[in-house]
Amino acid sequence: MTKRKLGPFEIEPVGLGCMSLSHTYGPPPSDEDGAKLLNRALDLGYDFFDTASIYGVGHNETLIGQALKGRRDEFVLASKCGLRVGNDEARATRILDGSPAGIAEVLDLSLTRLGVDHIDLYYLHRLDPKTPIEESVGALADAVKAGKIRSIGLSEVSAATLRRAAAVHPIAAVQTEYSLWTRNPEIAVLDACRELGTTFVAFSPVARGFLADGVGDASALTKGDFRRHMPRFNPPHLEANLKLLAAFKAIATELGVTPGQLSLAWLLNRDDRLVTIPGTGSIPHLEENFGARDIVLAPEVMARLDALINRHTVSGPRYAPAMQASIDTEDFAD
């Protein structure tokens, strides 16, 4: 499979989402093991790494900066701003801050942690309802002019927001969850990306590990695993979705590929312009994911997968109501 365009860059269609090296899906690997995985990724040919200031509250960027020092010219680096952790007296909270001052502050911190003088692709992690998107993108455009970032991205935004942003500055990429079981981008964002020449970046392309057969039952999710708070991973939805997974795994076996590879291949064969960023803390899974680049699926196989797992057959919403309210992406329920 040939490389794909992302802003001014040409990259492999399978990149690396680095979030799980710091938090979210249970205990992360040690920094030593995380560094080994990052370097193995470069050795395999990965050339696109995705991180964010909020991942591990800065830990993820620091890990990448230290682990890949001296190899900066081997990959396209993406990070994100606009979402940070605050603290009230009871618990940690997520704060949306897309203000120009907030963006400038977080960007400088990210550059320091990463140990670089510029970031190739810098996303607004979430839309801040208190700040017009035009102001947020204007601040990012100023960072482009200053040489601190090379291109601008948006994460979890609607087609309408993307169009407003693109009127201020070209948007190189939009990042949103997309897989067989999360089809929200098909409502409008994919069409808007094609219209504007914006690359679509699919995060959680193996359904947060579900389509890679990484979730046996709800009890397998450890304390601190973000999926414990997601409806699809809890009763009664999980039991219904596991029935879909059994049929999906049977198709993967028939084709001689792993379930994770089949999930990635469905995306890569569906749209020859999008890019995927599966995450993992496992080197064998890292190697497995990269192999999906070479899998060609026949039209009849694509049709079988579409019929098996889609928004009508998957049980449960993508997010609980509170989390859904914090994103700008279109939802089928609307």
Side-chain angles (χ1 to χ4, degrees), residues 50-82:
D50 180 277
T51 183
S53 61
I54 199 172
Y55 295 165
V57 196
H59 169 266
N60 206 253
E61 291 179 324
T62 299
L63 174 63
I64 291 171
Q66 294 176 348
L68 301 182
K69 187 177 182 180
R71 303 190 72 175
R72 177 65 183 89
D73 60 348
E74 296 180 44
F75 63 98
V76 173
L77 174 63
S79 192
K80 309 178 195 73
C81 63

Side-chain angles (χ1 to χ4, degrees), residues 201-255:
V201 178
F203 75 72
S204 296
V206 295
R208 301 183 184 273
F210 182 82
L211 291 177
D213 197 22
V215 182
D217 57 64
S219 65
L221 302 179
T222 61
K223 183 179 180 180
D225 192 315
F226 180 64
R227 293 170 293 189
R228 289 165 62 102
H229 307 287
M230 306 183 84
R232 293 177 182 176
F233 291 94
N234 287 279
H237 303 299
L238 182 60
E239 289 74 12
N241 292 328
L242 285 171
K243 294 177 182 178
L244 297 177
L245 179 63
F248 180 74
K249 288 165 59 179
I251 296 175
T253 298
E254 175 188 325
L255 297 174

Side-chain angles (χ1 to χ4, degrees), residues 69-236:
K69 187 177 182 180
R71 303 190 72 175
R72 177 65 183 89
D73 60 348
E74 296 180 44
F75 63 98
V76 173
L77 174 63
S79 192
K80 309 178 195 73
C81 63
L83 184 60
R84 58 186 175 86
V85 174
N87 285 285
D88 57 27
E89 293 182 356
R91 60 187 178 87
T93 56
R94 288 167 31 123
I95 298 173
L96 299 174
D97 184 2
S99 67
I103 288 173
E105 177 184 0
V106 171
L107 173 56
D108 285 342
L109 289 171
S110 292
L111 291 169
T112 298
R113 286 190 292 256
L114 289 161
V116 299
D117 61 6
H118 73 277
I119 295 170
D120 298 312
L121 172 62
Y122 202 53
Y123 292 95
L124 182 69
H125 206 156
R126 293 289 186 273
L127 178 67
D128 176 5
K130 305 182 302 299
T131 305
I133 188 63
E134 291 83 357
E135 292 185 17
S136 298
V137 174
L140 292 170
D142 288 342
V144 173
K145 293 177 183 175
K148 293 184 177 183
I149 65 176
R150 292 192 61 189
S151 59
I152 296 172
L154 302 175
S155 177
E156 293 277 46
V157 298
S158 65
T161 298
L162 170 58
R163 290 190 175 94
R164 287 173 55 193
V168 177
H169 189 280
I171 304 300
V174 165
Q175 179 182 124
T176 295
E177 182 177 355
Y178 189 29
S179 69
L180 274 160
W181 86 341
T182 297
R183 303 294 193 95
N184 302 62
E186 295 173 1
I187 300 172
V189 167
L190 287 172
D191 287 340
C193 285
R194 294 186 192 103
E195 171 192 326
L196 296 167
T198 297
T199 299
F200 184 87
V201 178
F203 75 72
S204 296
V206 295
R208 301 183 184 273
F210 182 82
L211 291 177
D213 197 22
V215 182
D217 57 64
S219 65
L221 302 179
T222 61
K223 183 179 180 180
D225 192 315
F226 180 64
R227 293 170 293 189
R228 289 165 62 102
H229 307 287
M230 306 183 84
R232 293 177 182 176
F233 291 94
N234 287 279

Side-chain angles (χ1 to χ4, degrees), residues 242-270:
L242 285 171
K243 294 177 182 178
L244 297 177
L245 179 63
F248 180 74
K249 288 165 59 179
I251 296 175
T253 298
E254 175 188 325
L255 297 174
V257 300
T258 68
Q261 287 176 328
L262 184 57
S263 183
L264 290 168
W266 176 82
L267 280 167
L268 298 177
N269 282 260
R270 189 174 182 82

